[in-house]
Amino acid sequence: MSENSTTIIEVKNLVRNFKKIEAVRNISFTVNKGESFAFLGPNGAGKTTTIRMLTTLLEPTSGFVSLNGFDVHKNPSDTRRSFGIVFQDPSLDTELTAYENMYIHAVLYGLEKNVYKKRIEELMTMVELWSRKDDLVKNFSGGMKRRLEIARGLLHHPKVLFLDEPTLGLDPQTRNLMWNYIKDLREKEGLTVFFTTHYMEEADKNADRIAIIDHGVIVAQGKSEELKTQTNTKTLEEAFLALTGTDIRESSGSVGVQMMKMWHGRK
Amino acid sequence: MILYILWLRQIKRYLRSKSRMIGSLGQPILFLVALGFGFGPIFEKAGGGNYIQFLAPGIIAMTILFTAIFAGIEVIWDKQFGFLKETLVAPVSRTKIMIGRTLGGATVATIQGVIVFIFTLFIGFRPTSILMSFFALVVMFLIALLFTALGTAIASRLEDMQGFQLIMNFLVMPIFFLSGALFPVDSLPSSFEIIIRIDPLSYGVDALRGVLSNAAHFGLGLDLIVLLSVVVVITIIGAWQFSKIEI
Ligand SMILES: Nc1ncnc2c1ncn2[C@@H]1O[C@H](COP(=O)(O)OP(=O)(O)O)[C@@H](O)[C@H]1O
Ligand SMILES: [Mg+2]
C-alpha cells in the first residue's frame, strides 16, 4: 500500500462484474487531498458502480480501494465516517421534516448534541433551508431536496464528499448555487470532492482533474487543459470524442458504437 | 441511541400517516362487527359461549399480524425511495439498523392492536382481569416483533412490490385463517389441528385468549415458549437477510 500523505483516495485494478456485464474493468486512479475530481462519462459507463465500491455499498469483484488511509473492504466503519455522499437517486425520508432528516443523520454518525445542533443550523443556513427546517421533505422541490442532501452529507465533517450526478434535473440557478456552496466548503474545510457527471461543462468548470470513463474503462485522465493538449483539441467535448473514438474502433463492440452514436447525437 | 432514533423514525411516520392508521383499522372492525354479530348466535347455540369473547383476541392478533407484516415490508419502500441507502452508508452495523426498525414497526403494530382492543370493549368484550390485560400488551408485542421481523426478512429479498400480492395470498392470509383466530381448535379433526399447530400465530392468538379470556387451549406456558423461540429465530433470519441487501 503506497499511501503518500497527499493521496486521499486510491483505487488499484478495480473490477466489478454483474453476471455477464463488466461494469467496471480494471480501473486505477488516485485523488489528492483537497482536490475536486470528476468522473465524466455517458450513462452506463460505470460511474455509480465505482462510487458504490468506494463507499462500502458494493463488494468489488477484484482490486483494491482505500479512502482516507483506510482499506475500504477491511475497515468499512472508519471508511464510512470519512466520507459524505449525495446519491444519484433521492435518499431522504420524505415523511419527515428537513430537520429530522439531519437529526437522524447526526445520531447515526454518533455526533455529540452540542456539536450537531450548531452544525445543522450552520449547514441548513448555508443551503438556505433553515427557515424551512420544520417542513416535511415531501413538500420540497427537487432542488431543495438536493440542497438538503448536500447539507446532510456534510454534517459529520467528512474528508471526502461524493456527489453522484448531483445536478441531474436541476435548473441552472440551483446548479450554480450548489457549486458555489461546494467551492466555499473546499476553501473553508479542505474538503475533497469526487463527483460524476455527464455534462462536459460541469466537469470542465468544477474539477481540478478529470477521468473520462466509458464502458467501465478509464480512457484518459488529467487536467482539462492536459486532455485538450493531449488530443490537440479546443474543448473538453472534442477531447472526449477524440479519446473515446479510437478506443471504439479498436474494441469493435457493436453496442459500444451505438452508444457512442447516441452520445454524439445527444448534444 | 441509534436503536432509539430508528425506532422513533417509524413511530413518527406512523403518527403522521393518519390515513394508513385509520385504513388499517377498518378491516378488523368490520370483521368484529360482521363476524361477531353475524356468527354470534350460531356459535352460542352450538354451545361455544359468547362469540365476541372468543373472537376479540383473534381479531386483535389479526390487526397486529397485518400491521407488523406491512411495517416489515416497508423495507422495500426504503429501498426504492432511497432512505435505506442513507442508513447503509452510516457507520452502524446492519444488525442494529434491522433491530431498530423492527422495534419501531412492532411498536406501531402493538399500538394498532391496543386500539382494536379498546374498540372490542365497546362492542361487549369483557377481559377477565385488568391486571392480565396489561400482560396482554407483552403478548401483543411478541406477536408484533415476530411478524415485523418476518416482513423484514421477506422484504430484504424482494426488489419491488411485485411479489407483495403473492406474499399476502400465500403467506399472510393462510397464517391468519389457519391460526384459530376465528374458530375453536378443540373440536377439529386431528390432521387439521396439526396445520394449526405449525402456524406461529396460533400461539399468539391462544396466548391472548389465555390472558384476556382465560381460555387458552394450548396453555399459556407453551404459547409463550413457542412465541419467544420463533421471535428469536425469525429475528436472526431477518437480520441475516437484511445484512445481505445490496443496493
Ligand atoms: N445491480 C446491478 N445488476 C446488474 N447490472 C448492473 C447493476 N448495477 C449496474 N449495472 C450495470 O453496470 C453498468 C454500469 O452502470 P452504472 O455504474 O450505474 O453507470 P453510470 O452510473 O455511469 O450511468 C450498466 O451497464 C448497468 O446496467
Ligand atoms: Mg450513475
Side-chain angles (χ1 to χ4, degrees):
Chain A
M1 202 162 90
S2 66
E3 191 80 41
N4 74 46
S5 63
T6 61
T7 306
I8 193 150
I9 300 176
E10 188 182 10
V11 172
K12 265 197 251 165
N13 306 110
L14 191 62
V15 175
R16 173 69 205 211
N17 303 329
F18 294 104
K19 297 196 182 94
K20 286 224 173 93
I21 304 168
E22 300 172 74
V24 172
R25 312 182 194 188
N26 198 7
I27 63 172
S28 301
F29 61 89
T30 57
V31 179
N32 297 325
K33 270 187 192 137
E35 207 174 18
S36 171
F37 189 88
F39 239 35
L40 177 64
N43 289 330
K47 304 184 295 295
T48 300
T49 305
T50 306
I51 287 200
R52 282 160 76 202
M53 289 190 280
L54 294 179
T55 56
T56 75
L57 282 176
L58 188 68
E59 290 287 316
T61 303
S62 66
F64 170 82
V65 184
S66 84
L67 191 145
N68 196 26
F70 303 114
D71 183 326
V72 171
H73 175 71
K74 291 195 186 125
N75 194 348
S77 229
D78 285 324
T79 304
R80 286 173 183 159
R81 263 181 256 279
S82 310
F83 70 82
I85 181 166
V86 176
F87 297 98
Q88 183 172 343
D89 306 313
S91 64
L92 297 163
D93 187 332
T94 54
E95 300 290 326
L96 299 182
T97 67
Y99 193 89
E100 285 166 345
N101 270 281
M102 295 293 277
Y103 169 61
I104 290 183
H105 187 92
V107 175
L108 286 176
Y109 283 77
L111 304 185
E112 297 290 332
K113 190 166 189 166
N114 51 359
V115 175
Y116 71 67
K117 274 191 116 164
K118 214 169 130 251
R119 179 82 170 163
I120 290 178
E121 179 168 355
E122 214 173 85
L123 287 166
M124 288 185 79
T125 308
M126 177 188 86
V127 298
E128 291 158 67
L129 287 174
W130 184 243
S131 59
R132 304 288 302 269
K133 67 183 167 53
D134 295 322
D135 289 7
L136 291 182
V137 173
K138 66 177 167 197
N139 300 326
F140 280 10
S141 70
M144 290 163 79
K145 286 183 192 160
R146 237 9 183 189
R147 273 146 54 200
L148 182 60
E149 284 178 322
I150 291 172
R152 186 182 66 179
L154 293 165
L155 187 52
H156 55 284
H157 292 95
K159 296 280 188 296
V160 180
L161 181 65
F162 288 97
L163 301 160
D164 195 358
E165 307 208 18
T167 55
L168 201 69
L170 300 187
D171 58 42
Q173 286 87 340
T174 313
R175 266 185 215 196
N176 218 345
L177 210 65
M178 215 200 74
W179 283 113
N180 286 341
Y181 307 141
I182 307 265
K183 199 163 150 249
D184 282 355
L185 279 158
R186 287 182 55 208
E187 283 162 11
K188 267 207 308 231
E189 304 191 359
L191 187 70
T192 304
V193 175
F194 182 110
F195 71 98
T196 74
T197 183
H198 58 243
Y199 298 118
M200 303 279 169
E201 333 78 73
E202 195 161 85
D204 208 356
K205 237 171 95 180
N206 301 297
D208 300 322
R209 278 194 307 133
I210 299 167
I212 294 179
I213 181 169
D214 198 11
H215 306 305
V217 181
I218 293 182
V219 291
Q221 51 180 318
K223 294 189 167 64
S224 176
E225 290 311 314
E226 289 169 0
L227 296 175
K228 291 174 206 165
T229 321
Q230 199 180 326
T231 50
N232 204 4
T233 50
K234 278 205 243 8
T235 65
L236 189 58
E237 175 153 14
E238 285 168 4
F240 178 90
L241 297 178
L243 282 161
T244 50
T246 53
D247 182 60
I248 296 296
R249 252 170 273 132
E250 281 160 10
S251 70
S252 80
S254 63
V255 178
V257 174
Q258 266 175 6
M259 281 201 56
M260 280 312 294
K261 277 188 185 146
M262 280 164 59
W263 177 243
H264 283 235
R266 238 209 18 237
K267 225 15 240 257
Chain B
M1 193 61 187
I2 283 162
L3 291 183
Y4 165 73
I5 197 78
L6 293 167
W7 174 87
L8 188 67
R9 170 182 177 243
Q10 304 287 115
I11 306 295
K12 286 197 162 166
R13 286 172 65 92
Y14 164 71
L15 292 176
R16 278 177 200 161
S17 61
K18 298 274 183 304
S19 61
R20 197 180 70 168
M21 198 183 334
I22 294 162
S24 57
L25 289 175
Q27 195 181 19
I29 289 174
L30 183 68
F31 266 68
L32 271 172
V33 173
L35 294 180
F37 295 120
F39 278 126
I42 300 177
F43 190 83
E44 273 152 42
K45 248 186 234 153
N50 184 328
Y51 190 47
I52 294 283
Q53 206 63 22
F54 177 84
L55 184 66
I59 299 300
I60 294 169
M62 174 192 94
T63 311
I64 297 171
L65 166 72
F66 286 130
T67 318
I69 290 273
F70 270 113
I73 294 277
E74 245 192 338
V75 169
I76 299 181
W77 261 281
D78 277 356
K79 259 194 221 177
Q80 285 189 316
F81 300 110
F83 187 75
L84 194 64
K85 282 193 292 253
E86 155 74 0
T87 50
L88 297 189
V89 289
V92 178
S93 81
R94 291 221 179 166
T95 307
K96 251 191 193 167
I97 298 171
M98 186 272 179
I99 290 178
R101 296 182 62 103
T102 304
L103 289 173
T107 306
V108 168
T110 305
I111 297 172
Q112 293 281 93
V114 170
I115 296 175
V116 170
F117 172 54
I118 292 168
F119 179 80
T120 62
L121 301 178
F122 285 103
I123 60 163
F125 179 57
R126 292 289 167 264
T128 39
S129 98
I130 294 179
L131 191 70
M132 286 306 257
S133 298
F134 284 102
F135 190 54
L137 271 180
V138 177
V139 176
M140 289 190 210
F141 193 65
L142 280 178
I143 302 173
L145 274 180
L146 198 170
F147 291 105
T148 310
L150 181 64
T152 306
I154 294 168
S156 300
R157 305 212 51 163
L158 295 179
E159 291 291 316
D160 50 39
M161 294 304 290
Q162 302 236 323
F164 184 68
Q165 204 58 35
L166 216 64
I167 292 161
M168 279 311 284
N169 289 334
F170 290 98
L171 187 74
V172 184
M173 286 303 181
I175 285 177
F176 167 56
F177 281 107
L178 301 175
S179 68
L182 302 179
F183 46 79
V185 182
D186 359 29
S187 46
L188 297 174
S190 61
S191 55
F192 192 54
E193 186 171 340
I194 290 172
I195 298 178
I196 288 173
R197 279 180 174 268
I198 293 170
D199 182 348
L201 185 64
S202 303
Y203 300 89
V205 170
D206 199 58
L208 277 183
R209 268 190 199 127
V211 292
L212 291 175
S213 305
N214 196 16
H217 174 69
F218 304 136
L220 205 51
L222 177 66
D223 290 337
L224 290 177
I225 289 169
V226 173
L227 277 179
L228 265 172
S229 324
V230 179
V231 164
V232 170
V233 171
I234 301 273
T235 305
I236 290 170
I237 294 173
W240 175 57
Q241 290 299 334
F242 191 81
S243 75
K244 291 204 308 186
I245 295 179
E246 260 193 2
I247 48 172

